[in-house]
Amino acid sequence: MKALRRAGAVLLLALLAFHLLAPFYWAVNTSLALPENVAKTPVDYVPSPPTLEGYRRVLGNPLFLRAVLNSALVSGGATVLSLALGAAAGCALGRYAFPGRGAVLSLFLAMTMFPQISVLGALFTLVTTTGLFNTPLALISTYLLTTLPFTVWVLSNFFRQLPRELEEAAFVDGAGPFAVFWRVLLPLAAPGLATTAILAFINTWNEYLYALSFTIDESARTAPVAIAQFTGESALEIPWNEIMAASVLVTLPLVLIVLLFQKHIVSGMTAGAVKG
């Protein structure tokens, strides 16, 4: 019976791995295929012959490279701002009792559940009236709507479980509230900060709706939007091998980040979910 349960668990994990990895495999397969072989039947499960022409064209496309740079700028800026504001708010909500704290935390949690499309119209009006339309600042400021509530919620739980003895000892030594936060609490919260930074960066790197709505040309367009607007030699031609090559290129950094920091992500999420 034990061997049967183990075999069932292995089969379930194998099916789950196939379900998760099959789309990525197919993207790589298509990116290495010749354009005329992409839609051929029967399907080539291994490109024959494989070619890197799609990657060469994508990497030689200055508009795509500019879009990747815009994505890095916007995602990095939104992540840094989310950490700066979220750490301060998370510390206050996690360590200090005040009237309405539970309601504020519930509000932050509720904000993470709103669909993006529900506030798109109001954000578009705000972005256009402030003159931020088609600028990186438009995306950085609107991305905070999704990244900041998540950051505050996770970090408030993380700050809550930090030992209070260190904080009290720092106050006894004459440190003020800001010094305690900067020199004592913030370093101890490094795993939580790393976790939220990675997840916020991934979320903003992949964002499409706001990037499409608040930009109009390559000066501020991000990688997901640029990939969606790839065209072939004619208006009816879709260069699937180039689209998939670009998708693989923008996905690989995220895969590497998760693989390198998966232990920190798991430990940070579990540590912030349990009150010490």
Side-chain angles (χ1 to χ4, degrees):
M1 181 64 69
K2 185 177 181 180
L4 185 61
R5 287 199 298 265
R6 182 178 300 175
V10 171
L11 178 61
L12 180 61
L13 290 175
L15 292 174
L16 181 61
F18 175 79
H19 175 73
L20 295 176
L21 295 177
F24 189 72
Y25 162 76
W26 197 250
V28 174
N29 178 73
T30 305
S31 70
L32 295 174
L34 294 170
E36 59 269 20
N37 293 339
V38 169
K40 67 175 289 190
T41 53
V43 174
D44 285 336
Y45 292 99
V46 177
S48 179
T51 177
L52 296 176
E53 181 64 20
Y55 290 92
R56 186 190 66 79
R57 291 186 178 182
V58 168
L59 292 175
N61 185 345
L63 298 182
F64 172 73
L65 298 180
R66 175 64 183 271
V68 172
L69 181 61
N70 288 337
S71 288
L73 174 64
V74 169
S75 300
T79 301
V80 170
L81 282 176
S82 293
L83 287 182
L85 299 174
C91 180
L93 290 169
R95 303 206 54 92
Y96 303 110
F98 55 87
R101 183 179 67 170
V104 174
L105 282 171
S106 299
L107 178 62
F108 276 111
L109 181 61
M111 290 175 65
T112 64
M113 301 177 184
F114 276 100
Q116 289 180 298
I117 193 67
S118 64
V119 294
L120 181 61
L123 285 178
F124 185 84
T125 301
L126 182 64
V127 167
T128 52
T129 55
T130 55
L132 297 178
F133 184 76
N134 200 43
T135 66
L137 284 177
L139 299 182
I140 292 175
S141 58
T142 53
Y143 285 172
L144 289 177
L145 186 67
T146 57
T147 58
L148 187 57
F150 168 78
T151 302
V152 171
W153 177 261
V154 173
L155 290 181
S156 64
N157 291 326
F158 200 93
F159 277 111
R160 184 181 302 136
Q161 58 87 39
L162 294 178
R164 293 191 176 273
E165 290 78 8
L166 295 175
E167 183 180 4
E168 293 170 356
F171 280 125
V172 171
D173 290 338
F178 180 78
V180 171
F181 168 73
W182 183 257
R183 298 180 182 178
V184 178
L185 299 178
L186 205 58
L188 292 175
L193 292 172
T195 300
T196 52
I198 293 171
L199 295 178
F201 185 86
I202 292 174
N203 180 57
T204 53
W205 180 269
N206 291 325
E207 203 282 327
Y208 177 78
L209 180 61
Y210 290 169
L212 175 66
S213 303
F214 303 146
T215 62
I216 197 172
D217 58 36
E218 63 276 1
S219 63
R221 188 175 294 152
T222 59
V225 178
I227 293 173
Q229 296 181 352
F230 273 14
T231 57
E233 294 180 359
S234 66
L236 299 177
E237 181 183 353
I238 302 177
W240 287 113
N241 61 328
E242 294 182 31
I243 291 175
M244 291 304 173
S247 300
V248 170
L249 289 175
V250 299
T251 303
L252 277 178
L254 304 183
V255 174
L256 293 176
I257 289 174
V258 172
L259 290 177
L260 289 174
F261 298 100
Q262 57 180 329
K263 292 183 178 179
H264 299 282
I265 294 175
V266 174
S267 63
M269 291 297 289
T270 54
V274 180
K275 182 177 179 180

